[in-house]
Every structure is written in C-alpha cells, then in structure tokens.
Amino acid sequence: CSGGEREDRDAVLTITKADGTEETMTSDELMDIYDENEINYNDNYMGCEATVEGYVLDVEQGSREIFDNIWADTAEISLEGYNGTRGIEFFIVMEENHYEDLDFSAITEGTRVRVSGTVGESFVNTELDDARDFEIVSVPEYVSAGAAFGVLVETNKPDVRLKVQAPSSVIPASQE
C-alpha cells in the first residue's frame, strides 16, 4: 500500500444459494443486495449455508442466552467490512467440546479466520447464524517475499492433517 491507501479486507462469503448454485461475494456486496431488493435477498440468500473468510475487527467475550434460559460463555466476533467498517458478525459458544483447545484470547484484531454458518436468518442481514467449523489462520504481515516465516493453523475439525513443504534451504524443509 502507498499514499495512505488501505488494503481491502472485506469479509468474503461463499454462499450456497436457494437454487443450489454457489456465489462468492463480499459482505458489502451482500448488504447492497439486501438494500436494493429485500425480496431477492429473502428468496435467494437468507437462510442459506455460507463459508466466510475475513479479518477480525473485534472480539467480545461474555455470557449469552443461547436457548430459553440456557446461558453459555461466547465469543462474539466481528469481521472487517468495506474499508474497515463492521462486516459479518457471528458468535461461537466457547464451551462446546470441539473448541476446548482453542485459545480465544489469541483472537485479536487482524487475525484471519474462516467460519461456516447460515446467512442472516435474523433481522440483521450481515449476521451469520449457527456459526460452526471455526478456524484461525494467522500469517504475520511483516514477512518479506522469499523469507521464512511461521504459520499458525488451528481447526476444530477432527482428523485434519497439514503438511508444510519449504525450499531445501529452510530447516526443517518439511513438517507434518
């Protein structure tokens, strides 16, 4: 970036629409669809499955009523929208078994995450309901091209394996 320009880090959604086709768009584009034609949004996007990838804008941890009179510790996460505005929002129930090893305090502004859920069944069209399959992927922004760097990948999916291969000049050159 130069001249004070900001990298566009708007959250990107891949939505399986009501007709079964997939469409990829930013959170800003989804808001435009809602604003331009609410009936189109309701018929083709609302309640559809989506995978969202984006950068964390903020995280709030607290207790939330998840069912009638059932409360749980949650992390409410907001992803960046167009030009740093608030984009997609969702919450994760931190007490669920598949998140027991996830350090929610490590999720800070700028952390890149991926999550699946249902597009805006609530009255908020940029809310992802029933969030699940939450993953954290962080890469330092200060890495120079061609230089070695560390990558942290966490997932709540069982039996996932990751193999990393590097040039032979890097030690270790391979790790699984």
Side-chain angles (χ1 to χ4, degrees), residues 21-37:
T21 60
E22 279 193 355
E23 188 171 342
T24 300
M25 66 184 63
T26 65
S27 60
D28 193 49
E29 291 168 332
L30 181 63
M31 290 177 68
D32 287 345
I33 289 170
Y34 179 83
D35 290 340
E36 291 169 8
N37 186 337

Side-chain angles (χ1 to χ4, degrees), residues 144-149 164-175:
S144 301
F149 61 92
V164 178
Q165 185 75 38
S168 60
S169 61
V170 176
I171 298 176
S174 178
Q175 191 168 1

Side-chain angles (χ1 to χ4, degrees), residues 84-97:
T85 60
R86 189 171 302 279
I88 301 296
E89 298 178 336
F90 59 93
F91 74 92
I92 298 292
V93 177
M94 297 186 299
E95 298 164 348
E96 290 186 16
N97 289 341

Side-chain angles (χ1 to χ4, degrees), residues 10-78:
D10 193 352
V12 174
L13 300 92
T14 301
I15 301 171
T16 303
K17 294 172 52 175
D19 65 4
T21 60
E22 279 193 355
E23 188 171 342
T24 300
M25 66 184 63
T26 65
S27 60
D28 193 49
E29 291 168 332
L30 181 63
M31 290 177 68
D32 287 345
I33 289 170
Y34 179 83
D35 290 340
E36 291 169 8
N37 186 337
E38 191 174 338
I39 293 171
N40 176 38
Y41 173 84
N42 291 344
D43 290 347
N44 292 296
Y45 301 93
M46 186 173 74
C48 294
E49 290 295 308
T51 299
V52 181
E53 188 165 328
Y55 294 90
V56 172
L57 184 63
D58 62 47
V59 178
E60 292 183 22
Q61 292 186 27
S63 188
R64 178 184 189 130
E65 187 174 19
I66 56 173
F67 299 109
D68 289 337
N69 294 321
I70 298 176
W71 292 77
D73 290 333
T74 62
E76 187 169 339
I77 301 171
S78 299

